[in-house]
Amino acid sequence: MQHFVNVILPIPLEKHFTYTVTRDEATFLSPGMRVAVPFGKSKIYTGLVSKIHTTAPEVYEAKEIDRILDEAALVNSIQLKHWQWIADYYMCTIGEVFRSAVPGAFLLESETLILKNEQSNIDETDLKDDEFLVYEALQHQSSLKVHEVSAIIERRNILPVLNRLLDKNVILLKEEIYEQYRPKLVRYVKLGKEYLSEEKLEVLLETLSRAPKQSQVVLALFQLQAESKKPIKINELERASGGSKTVIKSLVDKEILEEYFIRIDRVSYEGADDNEELKLLNEQQETALGDILQNFENRKVTLLHGVTSSGKTEVYVELIENCIKTNKQALYLLPEIALTTQLITRLQEYFGEKISVYHSKYSINERVEVWNNVLHKRPKAQIVIGARSALFLPYSDLGLIIVDEEHEGSFKQFDPAPRYHARDAAIVLSKLHDCNILLGSATPSVETFHNVQNDKYGYARIDRRYGNVLMPEMELVDLKEQIRKRRMKGHFSERLLEEIQDSLSLGEQIILFQNRRGYAPIVECTTCGHSPQCPNCDVSLTYHQYKKQLRCHYCGHHMALQESCLACGRPTLDTKGFGTEQVEQELHKLFPAAKVGRMDLDTTRGKHGYEKIITAFEQQELDILVGTQMLTKGLDFRNVGLVGIMNADALLNFPDYRAHERSFQLLTQVSGRAGRTKKRGKVIIQSYNPYHQILKQVTTGDFNGMYKDQIYEREQFKYPPVNRIIKITFKHKEYNKLNEATDWFAQSLRNVLGSGVLGPEYPPVARIRNQYIKNIIVKMHLEESIVKTKNQIKRIEKSFNAISYYRSVRVIFNVDHI
Ligand code: ADP
Ligand code: ZN
């Protein structure tokens, strides 16, 4: 009898691929183990065994596997089910889910890979622009292939760049990565076997009497051993004895000391061992906790709707404590881990070493370690905090999932596939584990609240801040009127300036929010009207004063700012609009004594970029922090008296059916950073349109009003959550081909689906990186079968790809969220 395995390859294939194995291999293998397999003419991929059987494939002759890579399964059956759900629901392949679900180190390939050099300390300012692009990409991805690098820097010949990066120790090259993960080893020392008895030791010390440095080391080691039973690290001994490396080495050479290694984890917590007492919950928190537990009894997904600073985190802590008491695993999902050092510290105070953190800024090795700790259900990974990728770890026994800030858009992955929403995928995961799941937010998403209204989800509410601190006082400032009355200084109204002055003199801190980075989004010549555009994208270039550059925020293209207009040559360049850089600069002029910091994508590069700024603000080294939406997420500052919104209008006018919901969430969240302790905080919102309904709802904290309006609009215009929606995006570098292709696709969809098909239409930015973009939107009633519609769409895609003229057009599906 012949034996076969079905294998999931980490590439977009519709089917699992079948290979032959020997009988012994068939007995040894189990689903979830990795095998290296040949594919195509010469490639080797890492595949994941999904099934072992004896049925030969019908249409091709199965090849042999190259080798088995694991001794036991790396992925469990719940994960495989979860991945399959993600692939089906979000219209991608399970291979794509596999690729993004496991740490890069698990996916060997026979292609050259570019890795980050973890060893070296890199000075970012020393990098040329193309070098920086590669370096930056490696912060987010554990490895890059040659063709990916060439896409990033948009050049075929990338060898010069790679060579420069190698010279600067920024990257490493790997031909084959069978053994990419290396556990970190730490060197320890003990006394050589010969000298374990006291007599021997005495003799030894005698012989060493003429080598005082050496005997000092031996004595120090003896003392360290007496003090603690723990193994002694070489550098500990060095410190304790004042001896040098060479002295220790010569003792090791003489076999007086013995060196040995212990494998340690890189991701370890070095705080106090345990365990701060849990805080006693107040009455409102207790009630909420009771409601949550009640809903959990009924196996319900539950929403904790608590205003900013109401103490939601302490409720989560109780639930986690309950969960780990039963020895189960807990997962705490956050929208963006980089911003949550604060939270991690807070949870570590309670749970100490039981917490592991998992996110994309971690190195390959760190991620592999967390994976293995979860896989083996080790205590140190009993609680995992992570961004969306933490969903994919090999949990075997989840008891609780918390999705904090569930309304956050960044839970949705946009690129590459799987384009999943982590909150929704977490709900499915909770069903697979039959575990509890809590969604938390001060500003729940319309879709989640809709599920509460329909009694699909359970609900718990905290409507007061902890300690009865009042919600901040909100004031709207009419920019039109201020300008007419000539009350503006730069972009600051008189009211905002007064309040800043007051806060500064009281020693309170200030947060200013402007959701645009750079100095100004548009540069324009006042003589001829020319405004520099990105050559690759349909957007104007943003002026960055600090670097004296014009930059494209979509593709990274940049050029030096010219003295005079490139079109007419006159030196009459002016800027329109403003970003965080300009706010910062105006503050320096208006309040020269204040210390001002800025938090946006430009100031938070690198692994610890965010932490540095947040810590500086926490330590009150800064008086004023200017920032983009990064400021809104879950930060708990003690001394912020004032929050200023520089301009609310850009948010409100964003062309998206969620713009109003998002504005409400963003403005409420950023306001929530004010006055979190005793004294009531103040919020000033500047707008040209202060009578906008959403601004009223923000200032009065009228969540229900906002929800009612939004649901009404979504019903009128057939948007989620009262309808389903799939966005199909098409990309191609030729304008005409894209138009023809999308017309063909839309017509085919209409033939099958009828009136629910909208478009094709160009999005507001219709060309990015030289690719034109067009969207088709498919709307469905909730009663329609989404599976059937997806299959119909997939079938049309197949016919589309069969037309050779269209094949080069990229087709991207986004289910539910656009
Ligand atoms: P949220 O997550 O709802 O914004 P937090 O959990 O950050 O609110 O709580 C706000 C502040 O109140 C925090 O500094 C927290 O330590 C404090 N706090 C909340 N609940 C309690 C409690 N039961 N006892 C003592 N302090 C609490
Ligand atoms: Zn561009």
Side-chain angles (χ1 to χ4, degrees), residues 279-280 285 309-314 346 466 636 638:
K279 294 198 166 74
L280 271 184
Q285 286 169 319
S309 201
S310 58
K312 294 185 288 297
T313 317
E314 305 302 330
R346 213 162 135 187
Y466 180 77
D636 184 22
R638 313 313 305 160

Side-chain angles (χ1 to χ4, degrees), residues 178-193:
Y178 277 91
E179 271 305 323
Q180 201 178 66
Y181 167 62
R182 287 205 197 82
K184 187 174 171 190
L185 297 174
V186 171
R187 288 163 66 207
Y188 289 86
V189 275
K190 54 187 177 191
L191 221 44
K193 278 189 227 65

Side-chain angles (χ1 to χ4, degrees), residues 79-343:
Q79 285 177 287
L80 287 176
K81 276 192 210 139
H82 191 225
W83 295 2
Q84 190 61 55
W85 179 86
I86 289 177
D88 292 342
Y89 191 83
Y90 293 104
M91 300 177 78
C92 65
T93 65
I94 194 167
E96 288 168 303
V97 185
F98 171 40
R99 169 173 289 281
S100 75
V102 303
F106 290 160
L107 295 170
L108 82 101
E109 276 169 7
S110 58
E111 289 167 49
T112 303
L113 280 187
I114 290 103
L115 310 178
K116 192 165 77 182
N117 186 346
E118 306 284 350
Q119 260 35 299
S120 71
N121 257 337
I122 290 144
D123 178 6
E124 291 178 10
T125 54
D126 187 35
L127 300 178
K128 292 196 185 168
D129 290 326
D130 50 2
E131 297 168 7
F132 183 77
L133 288 175
V134 179
Y135 168 74
E136 199 184 26
L138 284 170
Q139 307 298 315
H140 303 290
Q141 249 167 300
S142 49
S143 63
L144 291 171
K145 299 227 202 62
V146 168
H147 70 89
E148 289 171 329
V149 174
S150 91
I152 289 167
I153 62 175
E154 294 179 70
R155 219 180 301 146
R156 221 16 83 81
N157 182 8
I158 61 162
L159 287 182
V161 183
L162 292 184
N163 279 332
R164 276 185 269 127
L165 287 168
L166 280 169
D167 283 343
K168 294 180 182 173
N169 285 325
V170 177
I171 58 166
L172 301 169
L173 297 186
K174 279 265 167 167
E175 280 298 330
E176 286 232 336
I177 47 163
Y178 277 91
E179 271 305 323
Q180 201 178 66
Y181 167 62
R182 287 205 197 82
K184 187 174 171 190
L185 297 174
V186 171
R187 288 163 66 207
Y188 289 86
V189 275
K190 54 187 177 191
L191 221 44
K193 278 189 227 65
E194 296 280 305
Y195 307 98
L196 286 183
S197 71
E198 232 164 87
E199 299 142 43
K200 292 268 170 66
L201 187 70
E202 241 166 71
V203 178
L204 171 66
L205 287 174
E206 197 130 318
T207 42
L208 285 181
S209 60
R210 263 159 293 133
K213 276 191 188 152
Q214 296 188 3
S215 57
Q216 214 172 343
V217 170
V218 173
L219 279 171
L221 180 64
F222 208 64
Q223 196 165 4
L224 282 173
Q225 263 167 355
E227 281 165 13
S228 99
K229 295 276 167 285
K230 286 195 198 140
I232 288 147
K233 291 183 194 150
I234 285 214
N235 51 16
E236 250 174 283
L237 176 61
E238 229 174 273
R239 234 176 299 131
S241 65
S244 69
K245 286 193 174 57
T246 38
V247 178
I248 296 177
K249 184 167 181 308
S250 65
L251 285 166
V252 171
D253 288 344
K254 286 194 215 161
E255 293 184 9
I256 295 171
L257 298 186
E258 193 181 313
E259 209 180 10
Y260 63 109
F261 294 86
I262 298 183
R263 221 178 108 162
I264 64 143
D265 272 3
R266 262 156 268 252
V267 250
S268 58
Y269 163 67
E270 288 175 9
D273 262 355
D274 250 43
N275 266 2
E276 194 114 322
E277 290 282 305
L278 298 198
K279 294 198 166 74
L280 271 184
L281 298 185
N282 69 14
E283 211 179 302
Q284 285 223 307
Q285 286 169 319
E286 278 296 350
T287 311
L289 181 68
D291 290 345
I292 293 166
L293 293 175
Q294 181 69 45
N295 280 304
F296 281 177
E297 288 281 311
N298 299 328
R299 319 300 311 137
K300 262 190 172 173
V301 178
T302 302
L303 169 68
L304 172 55
H305 184 182
V307 296
T308 52
S309 201
S310 58
K312 294 185 288 297
T313 317
E314 305 302 330
V315 177
Y316 304 152
V317 166
E318 281 283 339
L319 291 167
I320 294 172
E321 174 82 2
N322 283 347
C323 168
I324 61 175
K325 261 193 222 145
T326 62
N327 231 356
K328 285 174 177 279
Q329 297 164 307
L331 166 62
Y332 190 134
L333 279 181
L334 289 158
E336 259 166 282
I337 198 87
L339 290 170
T340 35
T341 5
Q342 278 193 335
L343 179 87

Side-chain angles (χ1 to χ4, degrees), residues 154 534-539 541 551-557 767-770:
E154 294 179 70
C534 175
N536 313 317
C537 314
D538 283 348
V539 289
L541 295 171
R551 296 191 75 96
C552 171
H553 285 183
Y554 288 83
C555 74
H557 173 86
R767 190 178 53 117
I768 294 175
R769 294 175 196 270
N770 282 317

